[in-house]
Amino acid sequence: MKNIARSATALLTSIGLAVLGLAGTAQAAPVVEDHAMGSQIAKHEGGGGRRIAIPTDPSAQAVVYGIDVSGHQGNVDWNYWWGQGKRFAYVKATESTTYRNPYFAQQYNGSYNVGMIRGAYHFALPDRSAGATQADFFVNNGGGWSRDGKTLPGALDMEYNPYGSTCYGLSKASMTAWIKSFSDRYHARTGRWPVIYTSTSWWNQCVSGDFSSTNPLWVARYSSTVGTLPYAWPFYTFWQYSSSPIDQNQFNGAYDRLQALANG
């Protein structure tokens, strides 16, 4: 009986240790780095979940409407969005150097096949690795560019840190250098300067440099007006004005200007 009791105790102990081991493994699992464009801006600045009527910028002579998507949307019904008047799309490709959108092919090729002009974007985590390193990862995983008339230059998503301090622990000068490293590397690889996506509030807190002569601006502001632009940019190229029911954007120009941006 004593031997049976000892065996039962040993078995229960082994099971208990195994369960604890599994629990420990689950707790130690890495966070999936899948942050959508504007998710942290909406979190810190508000307004992201509100439905906003299609805004009109008095300074814009003509506009083109589009959307941006990430892995959170899964397989996108591109025919539906084409029917809603969307004529361009940006698709998340990568984040840092560890995440690739598993739905990228369906989203990137699907938007193209339905007739949209499309591009890819990268969610930056500047405290993880160098700007040039993240630019290489982006280009190598869908963020490239080709002069086919339907591909926009890649976009660099610069916004609030999902994991900690607003500016990723970097000074304004260091953040400026990081962005320049990414931008220069992307230009060297593709021949195009990346579009920079950001909000005025985040940019003015975290960046000191002037990118207005090279990089098109994509500004996020969930309102009926675009408001004040980030430092030094005299005009915006894209405006993300709502995240409901999906991230919605307008291009500041007529369709032929959007084609010109795609063609380089």
Side-chain angles (χ1 to χ4, degrees), residues 142-196:
W145 175 78
S146 60
R147 189 176 277 109
D148 58 5
K150 299 298 283 290
T151 303
L152 293 163
L156 172 61
D157 183 352
M158 300 298 306
E159 57 183 282
Y160 297 84
N161 183 2
Y163 303 108
S165 62
T166 294
C167 301
Y168 299 83
L170 301 181
S171 67
K172 284 188 173 184
S174 295
M175 185 67 78
T176 298
W178 192 97
I179 296 169
K180 188 174 187 305
S181 173
F182 184 103
S183 181
D184 288 350
R185 184 63 172 168
Y186 188 84
H187 184 265
R189 292 284 305 272
T190 67
R192 300 299 306 274
W193 297 105
V195 175
I196 292 178

Side-chain angles (χ1 to χ4, degrees), residues 88-230:
F88 71 88
Y90 264 97
V91 177
K92 180 177 180 179
T94 51
E95 182 168 333
S96 185
T97 57
T98 52
Y99 175 82
R100 293 177 292 179
N101 176 7
Y103 295 94
F104 181 78
Q106 190 277 343
Q107 295 174 351
Y108 193 70
N109 296 332
S111 53
Y112 178 94
N113 290 337
V114 83
M116 293 185 186
I117 299 176
R118 49 66 160 128
Y121 80 85
H122 174 78
F123 192 104
L125 296 179
D127 58 343
R128 300 292 180 87
S129 54
T133 301
Q134 293 195 27
D136 280 331
F137 184 72
F138 178 45
V139 173
N140 293 342
N141 292 283
W145 175 78
S146 60
R147 189 176 277 109
D148 58 5
K150 299 298 283 290
T151 303
L152 293 163
L156 172 61
D157 183 352
M158 300 298 306
E159 57 183 282
Y160 297 84
N161 183 2
Y163 303 108
S165 62
T166 294
C167 301
Y168 299 83
L170 301 181
S171 67
K172 284 188 173 184
S174 295
M175 185 67 78
T176 298
W178 192 97
I179 296 169
K180 188 174 187 305
S181 173
F182 184 103
S183 181
D184 288 350
R185 184 63 172 168
Y186 188 84
H187 184 265
R189 292 284 305 272
T190 67
R192 300 299 306 274
W193 297 105
V195 175
I196 292 178
Y197 168 94
T198 193
S199 75
T200 299
S201 178
W202 182 87
W203 187 269
N204 290 347
Q205 287 181 71
C206 300
V207 188
S208 58
D210 179 358
F211 292 85
S212 62
S213 64
T214 51
N215 302 77
L217 170 66
W218 185 353
V219 65
R221 185 168 190 258
Y222 309 122
S223 179
S224 58
T225 60
V226 72
T228 303
L229 299 181

Side-chain angles (χ1 to χ4, degrees), residues 27-113:
Q27 290 171 354
V31 175
V32 176
E33 293 170 346
D34 183 12
H35 297 94
M37 178 176 277
S39 59
Q40 304 310 301
I41 293 172
K43 177 180 177 180
H44 290 269
E45 299 182 19
R50 291 189 292 117
R51 285 180 177 268
I52 296 173
I54 293 177
T56 301
D57 181 354
S59 68
Q61 297 302 307
V63 298
V64 182
Y65 292 99
I67 60 175
D68 63 84
V69 298
S70 69
H72 292 279
Q73 277 73 47
N75 292 322
V76 175
D77 184 347
W78 290 108
N79 286 308
Y80 171 81
W81 289 110
W82 180 267
Q84 295 297 304
K86 309 305 181 183
R87 294 296 179 263
F88 71 88
Y90 264 97
V91 177
K92 180 177 180 179
T94 51
E95 182 168 333
S96 185
T97 57
T98 52
Y99 175 82
R100 293 177 292 179
N101 176 7
Y103 295 94
F104 181 78
Q106 190 277 343
Q107 295 174 351
Y108 193 70
N109 296 332
S111 53
Y112 178 94
N113 290 337

